[in-house]
Amino acid sequence: MRNFKKILIAICVIALLSVGCVVMAFAADGEEVVVNKGTVEELNALIATAESASDAQSKYNALSAVNSYLLTKDMCVDEMDDTTKVIYDAAMLRIQRVAVVGADMLLSVIPEDLTASGVDVEAALTNFLNADFMLHWFELPTTTAGLSDVKPKYDAAFERVATALVNNLSDGSYGNKITNTAENKVKLNRVNSIITYCVPYGSADF
């Protein structure tokens, strides 16, 4: 009787181990097979939405969706045929152009004088950061169409925003205070990192 129990226990253990191995094998196979593939058609549709966006915020939102798609989808460029590869390369050029246009739109709505009465410094901060993100997301080469026109506007906005932030942090008499929220702290840290550790986008030493 005692031996029978031992045999039964051994059979149960072997059965459990076998089931576990099968489950793990299926899981491993799933990881190898499941690829979150993207398509040129889907990418072009997102780019078209970004191109047609008529205001700065909509342009930013649409480009954010393009960036998210590129980060989360495997475009499998190496597997594309020649025709699809040409379409893909053209799509990447379109992204670069629309990113420059979007950045220009965001920089254009930043007021010249951030100390003027009623100026929303927080909105200026957000617009500058969104323009900065837009230019960096797609690693635009310096030959990108329109970038040379946007760079002076970026540098000027960078100087105004940086000065406003320094004044906000050090001068109690500054008129347009930035609200002390967790979200704004993240934004301030981002700009501070640009001021401290980086040079503006497109500069010779970038």
Side-chain angles (χ1 to χ4, degrees):
M1 185 70 176
R2 189 174 298 172
N3 290 335
F4 177 76
K5 287 183 178 179
K6 288 181 179 179
I7 293 171
L8 184 61
I9 291 172
I11 292 173
C12 291
V13 170
I14 292 171
L16 289 172
L17 288 173
S18 299
V19 171
C21 290
V22 170
V23 171
M24 289 177 67
F26 274 114
D29 287 343
E31 289 176 3
E32 292 175 1
V33 172
V34 176
V35 176
N36 194 14
K37 289 188 176 182
T39 67
V40 174
E41 291 76 17
E42 290 176 342
L43 179 60
N44 272 326
L46 291 172
I47 296 170
T49 299
E51 288 173 330
S52 63
S54 59
D55 62 272
Q57 188 59 47
S58 296
K59 187 80 74 176
Y60 172 79
N61 292 341
L63 277 169
S64 179
V66 172
N67 182 56
S68 177
Y69 187 87
L70 291 173
L71 289 175
T72 57
K73 300 288 186 177
D74 184 352
M75 296 301 295
C76 301
V77 178
D78 293 338
E79 300 176 9
M80 293 179 180
D81 57 46
D82 291 342
T83 300
T84 305
K85 183 65 165 61
V86 169
I87 297 172
Y88 173 79
D89 290 341
M92 299 309 292
L93 288 175
R94 288 170 63 200
I95 291 173
Q96 292 172 0
R97 294 191 190 102
V98 74
V100 169
V101 172
D104 183 81
M105 292 171 69
L106 286 167
L107 295 169
S108 296
V109 298
I110 297 176
E112 289 292 329
D113 183 6
L114 295 180
T115 65
S117 176
V119 170
D120 189 343
V121 180
E122 292 183 18
L125 171 62
T126 298
N127 286 328
F128 173 77
L129 285 178
N130 287 348
D132 181 74
F133 281 132
M134 202 176 289
L135 292 174
H136 283 83
W137 275 340
F138 308 108
E139 298 181 358
L140 308 184
T142 55
T143 55
T144 300
L147 187 59
S148 59
D149 296 327
V150 171
K151 185 185 181 308
K153 189 176 292 188
Y154 176 99
D155 289 345
F158 175 85
E159 184 175 349
R160 295 200 305 277
V161 170
T163 300
L165 294 180
V166 170
N167 288 337
N168 265 278
L169 296 175
S170 63
D171 183 1
S173 64
Y174 192 77
N176 302 304
K177 286 295 180 185
I178 294 177
T179 308
N180 186 23
T181 64
E183 181 181 0
N184 282 335
K185 284 181 180 179
V186 172
K187 294 177 183 178
L188 290 169
N189 286 337
R190 165 68 180 167
V191 174
N192 184 59
S193 70
I194 297 174
I195 295 170
T196 306
Y197 302 110
C198 306
V199 291
Y201 187 87
S203 295
D205 296 329
F206 183 79

